[in-house]
Amino acid sequence: MYNYKNKVKNMKKYLLFLLALLPMTLAFTACSDEDDLPNVDFDITYEGATSVDGVLYVVQGTSFEITGITVTNREEGKGAGISAADYYWDYVYVGTSIQPPYGFEFDVTENTPAGRHQLDIQSTVFAVDKTIAQAVCSFQVQVVASADDIPEGGESTVHVTPKVSTTTDK
């Protein structure tokens, strides 16, 4: 004799098992593109500073200005850009530039201590066919008492490959 109750009972167990698997499959498929981060370079131009061996030298009592940030996608023929640049001096937020070329001026007064300081530029990066990400460019800034304290052979542009991570990894 055909046992209809056992068949329904087994079918319910099977459906519950499938429902239990559903969240796991969604979790594994939803993340497939999240690690596809932009592969970009930043060219940062500035005035009032000189870059020597990766350190920006600035004379105490002068102004130092980032005059532009240009983003280049390392994947040939694909665009990339940023929406804004957040600036941090010695890990303290000092301002945001939301309009290209994303410049910002720092007033390095006589009260700014001579010695090493940290400049960080954080931006949201957009690149064709990539996940939106956060990019951080970090620089050591050496504030010196006079221009004579700046080593020879400096440049006014820095080419940087920023640290890039997903926006949730801030």
Side-chain angles (χ1 to χ4, degrees), residues 142-153:
Q142 182 73 34
V143 175
V144 295
S146 76
D148 296 334
D149 297 329
I150 299 174
E152 295 291 322

Side-chain angles (χ1 to χ4, degrees), residues 32-49:
S32 64
D33 291 334
E34 288 181 4
D35 293 327
D36 198 13
L37 297 174
N39 187 6
V40 296
D41 288 328
F42 283 24
D43 287 308
I44 300 172
T45 56
Y46 46 86
E47 294 176 356

Side-chain angles (χ1 to χ4, degrees), residues 84-105:
D86 296 326
Y87 290 91
Y88 297 83
W89 181 267
D90 288 336
Y91 307 103
V92 176
Y93 172 78
V94 293
T96 298
S97 178
I98 60 170
Q99 184 175 356
Y102 308 106
F104 193 84
E105 187 171 353

Side-chain angles (χ1 to χ4, degrees), residues 26-163:
L26 291 176
F28 288 115
T29 58
C31 304
S32 64
D33 291 334
E34 288 181 4
D35 293 327
D36 198 13
L37 297 174
N39 187 6
V40 296
D41 288 328
F42 283 24
D43 287 308
I44 300 172
T45 56
Y46 46 86
E47 294 176 356
T50 303
S51 176
V52 179
D53 296 328
V55 176
L56 297 177
Y57 287 85
V58 179
V59 177
Q60 193 175 32
T62 64
S63 66
F64 154 56
E65 180 179 3
I66 302 289
T67 56
I69 300 173
T70 305
V71 180
T72 306
N73 194 336
R74 293 168 121 194
E75 291 187 33
E76 193 74 28
K78 294 189 176 184
I82 60 175
S83 59
D86 296 326
Y87 290 91
Y88 297 83
W89 181 267
D90 288 336
Y91 307 103
V92 176
Y93 172 78
V94 293
T96 298
S97 178
I98 60 170
Q99 184 175 356
Y102 308 106
F104 193 84
E105 187 171 353
F106 300 88
D107 191 19
V108 183
T109 67
E110 292 84 17
N111 297 329
T112 303
R116 292 273 169 144
H117 297 272
Q118 180 74 25
L119 169 63
D120 295 310
I121 305 170
Q122 182 177 1
S123 302
T124 301
V125 179
F126 303 92
V128 174
D129 298 330
K130 299 294 181 180
T131 300
I132 296 172
Q134 289 293 317
V136 177
C137 299
S138 297
F139 303 94
Q140 288 187 350
V141 179
Q142 182 73 34
V143 175
V144 295
S146 76
D148 296 334
D149 297 329
I150 299 174
E152 295 291 322
E155 299 180 30
S156 61
T157 301
V158 177
H159 182 79
V160 182
T161 300
K163 179 182 180 267

